[in-house]
């Protein structure tokens, strides 16, 4: 259990950064979806750029996972409709709830306990997807 404490501490730091940058603010998310502010697009763009850089560095330095295997990004199936439909559902859920999956848990830490309804709905949606996965286009 002790080896996971670093991940717990990074999670706490990540939560603090998201709260301080207002990335969990419903008003900032609302502004983003109305194209009134660059704030959230800047945060998302910075996260994507950081992820790309860290992935390239980890590939170059051959950094291993906690299990000792090399870090690999699995290839995804190509397809247009799966990303449009999935992205639309995700975006609608994000716009309606005012939070995407990561910040939903951070909002509990800030005392917004009504987000528990959204988390329950997200878990139910994931369960329903699991039931219907074989019948959906992939």
């Amino acid at each position: 259990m002790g080896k996971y404490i670093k991940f717990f501490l990074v999670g706490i730091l990540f939560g603090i950064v998201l709260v301080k940058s207002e990335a969990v603010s419903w008003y900032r998310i609302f502004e983003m979806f109305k194209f009134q502010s660059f704030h959230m697009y800047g945060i998302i763009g910075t996260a994507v750029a950081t992820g790309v850089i860290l992935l390239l560095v980890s590939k170059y330095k051959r950094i291993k996972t906690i299990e000792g295997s090399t870090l690999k990004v699995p290839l995804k199936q190509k397809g247009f409709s799966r990303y449009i439909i999935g992205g639309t559902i995700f975006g609608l859920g994000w716009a309606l709830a005012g939070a995407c999956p990561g910040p939903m848990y951070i909002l509990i830490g800030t005392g917004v306990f009504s987000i528990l309804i959204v988390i329950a709905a997200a878990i139910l949606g994931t369960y329903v997807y699991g039931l219907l996965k074989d019948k959906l286009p992939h």
Side-chain angles (χ1 to χ4, degrees):
M1 187 67 174
K3 66 180 180 179
Y4 296 112
I5 193 74
K6 58 187 169 189
F7 299 108
F8 181 71
L9 294 174
V10 169
I12 290 174
L13 179 65
F14 181 64
I16 291 169
V17 168
L18 286 183
V19 169
K20 292 296 184 182
S21 68
E22 296 182 352
V24 297
S25 167
W26 183 87
Y27 298 104
R28 288 290 188 184
I29 294 167
F30 185 68
E31 285 176 339
M32 177 187 70
F33 281 109
K34 288 179 66 179
F35 300 105
Q36 293 178 334
S37 175
F38 182 75
H39 185 86
M40 290 297 289
Y41 295 111
I43 290 173
I44 294 168
T46 302
V48 170
T50 303
V52 168
I53 291 168
L54 289 176
L55 191 60
L56 290 172
V57 167
S58 67
K59 197 179 234 185
Y60 176 74
K61 297 236 179 212
R62 295 196 170 117
I63 295 175
K64 303 219 182 270
T65 65
I66 196 167
E67 289 89 21
S69 62
T70 57
L71 189 63
K72 294 181 186 175
V73 178
L75 295 175
K76 306 279 184 190
Q77 291 180 3
K78 295 187 180 193
F80 184 74
S81 62
R82 64 186 298 168
Y83 295 111
I84 294 298
I85 294 169
T88 301
I89 292 170
F90 181 84
L92 286 172
W94 188 6
L96 291 172
C100 64
M104 288 189 316
Y105 296 97
I106 295 168
L107 286 170
I108 292 173
T110 63
V112 181
F113 296 110
S114 58
I115 201 74
L116 288 170
I117 298 167
V118 176
I119 291 173
I123 291 170
L124 177 65
T126 304
Y127 177 74
V128 170
Y129 171 75
L131 294 175
L132 300 175
K133 185 171 102 172
D134 297 331
K135 298 175 179 135
L136 296 172
H138 283 97

